[in-house]
Amino acid sequence: MKNAFYLFLTGVLFCCFQSCTDEIEQTYHHYSDEDYELLSQYLNLPQRTYDYTPVTNLGVSSGAAPENTFHKATLGRVLFYDNLLSIDESTSCASCHHQSSAFADNVQFSEGLDGQITKRNTLPLGNTIGFIKYYGTDLSTPTGQFSWDESKASIDVQSEAAITNSIEMGHNMSNLTEKLKKQDYYQVLFRKVYGDKGVTETNILDALTEFVNSFSSRDSDFDKGVLEAGNPRAYLPTLSPSANNGREVFNDRCGSCHDPAHNAIILSSANNGLDLVYEDKGVGASISNPALEGVFKVPSLRNIELTGPYMHDGRFETLEEVIEHYSTGIQNHKNLHEFLKFGNHAVQFNFSDSEKDDLVAYLKTLTDNSFIDEVKWSDPFK
């Protein structure tokens, strides 16, 4: 009898706990009917938010999401695609970061306000497994920073720089805040995340960061092969013989600078011998250090097939051109990275024609088509 009572009590407690859990989940995963009706006038959003839990490596989440993470990322998504962020309401973050291009642009230099052209090629935002981990947004783990010259320490700083840049979006953060306060859909979205604090400069940047941090590309043919083989350096039977040959060449010749698993930073930045004289000094200009002239960020190669043109100045249209540079075109600049030098001379890898073809085949296995089709990272505006 006593055991039966304990079982009954346990069942009651479980049901109460489950009910409370469901209620809590509903409060932060759902918009009220009234709020959702208002949002639906402008936006294609689900009433139950998408799961934006960040992922930092092959399918492993970075931990339990805080209660407002999903709503914050949803707000960031709306901000990312909203032309209101530019002074003349002509451009958004997405104008230069297209999901179809893994959040890069498909031109050498992007067009900003009044037809102005940016001075560097647009870096892709969505070409990593775990944006947080790769680019060092967690400042307790010092790794790479943002922008080609690594002058931006976080996504917040990078986002503010783009919003206030006179070529890109040309806005003043204070004026932008006042503009967004006048939009009833932002009243709902900000209140859901930040309560009475509402629309502030800090909260705008915080929400953009949450959205960008949720980007995780981990479903390429390469990833599927690694999951099956359990080792990025092993032969991957899911890939073609050509791609496997290219993987071997890559790991042997390119693996000193680019992580063979494409999950981590080996070199944050380097001079890769593009020129003997650089008009754009890169990191050297941003910190006034001649020893770093011509040094630029080493980006992840995930989705590299989609993110051309390539290099900080977009000089290479194709992967074949990039490979030819490393095969025969490395210039012996005074700051050329040691991995690309042999003694006092620049290395020329002299790839054979078949090696070039195999490298291209391998790099294309890093394309994640599900990433560029994922609705939760797409334009939400009607």
Side-chain angles (χ1 to χ4, degrees):
M1 185 69 177
K2 185 182 294 185
N3 290 339
F5 173 78
Y6 287 150
L7 287 172
F8 169 78
L9 181 60
T10 300
V12 170
L13 291 173
F14 175 81
C15 290
C16 291
F17 174 79
Q18 187 65 42
S19 176
C20 291
T21 301
D22 290 343
E23 184 178 349
I24 293 171
E25 183 178 21
Q26 185 173 359
T27 62
Y28 72 88
H29 285 305
H30 292 69
Y31 297 103
S32 69
D33 291 341
E34 181 181 0
D35 284 347
Y36 189 65
E37 182 179 0
L38 187 154
L39 293 174
S40 296
Q41 296 178 38
Y42 310 93
L43 303 162
N44 287 312
L45 296 176
Q47 188 165 9
R48 178 185 177 90
T49 60
Y50 293 112
D51 185 342
Y52 285 101
T53 305
V55 176
T56 56
N57 51 39
L58 291 171
V60 179
S61 77
S62 61
E67 288 190 357
N68 66 352
T69 288
F70 300 157
H71 280 301
K72 188 186 296 186
T74 300
L75 167 58
R77 177 189 175 197
V78 175
L79 289 165
F80 188 87
Y81 283 96
D82 200 338
N83 287 349
L84 290 178
L85 267 68
S86 62
I87 187 68
D88 64 356
E89 302 181 9
S90 65
T91 60
S92 67
C93 302
S95 297
C96 298
H97 296 282
H98 307 285
Q99 185 179 14
S100 60
S101 300
F103 294 101
D105 208 349
N106 56 2
V107 294
Q108 183 175 17
F109 301 111
S110 300
E111 183 175 333
L113 299 172
D114 301 320
Q116 295 182 88
I117 302 300
T118 57
K119 297 180 180 179
R120 290 176 178 151
N121 182 252
T122 297
L123 269 168
L125 298 180
N127 63 347
T128 70
I129 279 190
F131 205 78
I132 300 173
K133 199 72 171 178
Y134 190 91
Y135 280 115
T137 308
D138 176 1
L139 297 180
S140 66
T141 307
T143 52
Q145 293 183 320
F146 291 82
S147 73
W148 280 108
D149 61 8
E150 299 208 304
S151 59
K152 310 299 185 294
S154 68
I155 300 177
D156 291 48
V157 175
Q158 179 66 53
S159 297
E160 182 174 6
I163 292 169
T164 59
N165 185 279
S166 61
I167 294 176
E168 297 179 45
M169 303 173 86
H171 232 312
N172 172 283
M173 288 300 298
S174 177
N175 291 343
L176 174 61
T177 299
E178 294 307 310
K179 180 196 288 188
L180 298 188
K181 285 180 180 179
K182 298 176 183 178
Q183 305 303 316
D184 50 6
Y185 59 92
Y186 279 128
Q187 290 292 329
V188 172
L189 293 168
F190 275 91
R191 184 181 70 247
K192 191 69 174 178
V193 180
Y194 301 105
D196 293 339
K197 294 180 181 178
V199 185
T200 68
E201 296 178 28
T202 298
N203 292 345
I204 291 169
L205 299 175
D206 183 47
L208 281 168
T209 293
E210 195 72 52
F211 177 62
V212 174
N213 267 343
S214 74
F215 295 168
S216 54
S217 176
R218 59 183 188 278
D219 196 33
S220 66
D221 288 343
F222 168 78
D223 293 313
K224 294 170 186 174
V226 171
L227 284 173
E228 182 171 314
N231 183 349
R233 292 183 178 272
Y235 185 88
L236 306 181
T238 58
L239 304 187
S240 69
S242 176
N244 269 295
N245 291 339
R247 179 193 53 80
E248 290 185 9
V249 174
F250 180 91
N251 290 349
D252 181 50
R253 309 285 185 85
C254 313
S256 296
C257 298
H258 296 281
D259 171 34
H262 303 286
N263 287 337
I265 291 176
I266 292 180
L267 290 180
S268 177
S269 58
N271 180 303
N272 63 342
L274 291 174
D275 297 303
L276 287 176
V277 178
Y278 286 80
E279 181 178 347
D280 184 342
K281 308 296 185 183
V283 176
S286 70
I287 62 174
S288 300
N289 185 347
L292 294 175
E293 286 184 5
V295 170
F296 294 92
K297 171 173 285 300
V298 178
S300 165
L301 301 184
R302 287 188 168 274
N303 295 303
I304 191 70
E305 178 185 10
L306 307 175
T307 62
Y310 306 100
M311 306 299 166
H312 70 281
D313 55 6
R315 68 177 64 190
F316 298 134
E317 287 283 343
T318 66
L319 290 174
E320 286 82 0
E321 291 179 57
V322 174
I323 290 168
E324 189 59 47
H325 164 70
Y326 289 107
S327 183
T328 61
I330 299 174
Q331 302 295 301
N332 194 26
H333 188 271
K334 62 181 180 179
N335 295 333
L336 181 66
H337 196 276
E338 61 179 335
F339 289 165
L340 297 176
K341 299 188 75 167
F342 184 77
N344 294 321
H345 303 283
V347 169
Q348 306 298 334
F349 288 113
N350 295 314
F351 299 122
S352 68
D353 288 344
S354 62
E355 286 176 326
K356 294 174 185 177
D357 291 341
D358 292 343
L359 279 168
V360 171
Y362 169 65
L363 291 172
K364 288 183 176 181
T365 70
L366 301 176
T367 301
D368 179 358
N369 289 311
S370 64
F371 175 75
I372 63 174
D373 293 332
E374 176 56 62
V375 174
K376 70 181 181 180
W377 294 312
S378 67
D379 185 351
F381 282 91
K382 290 186 172 180

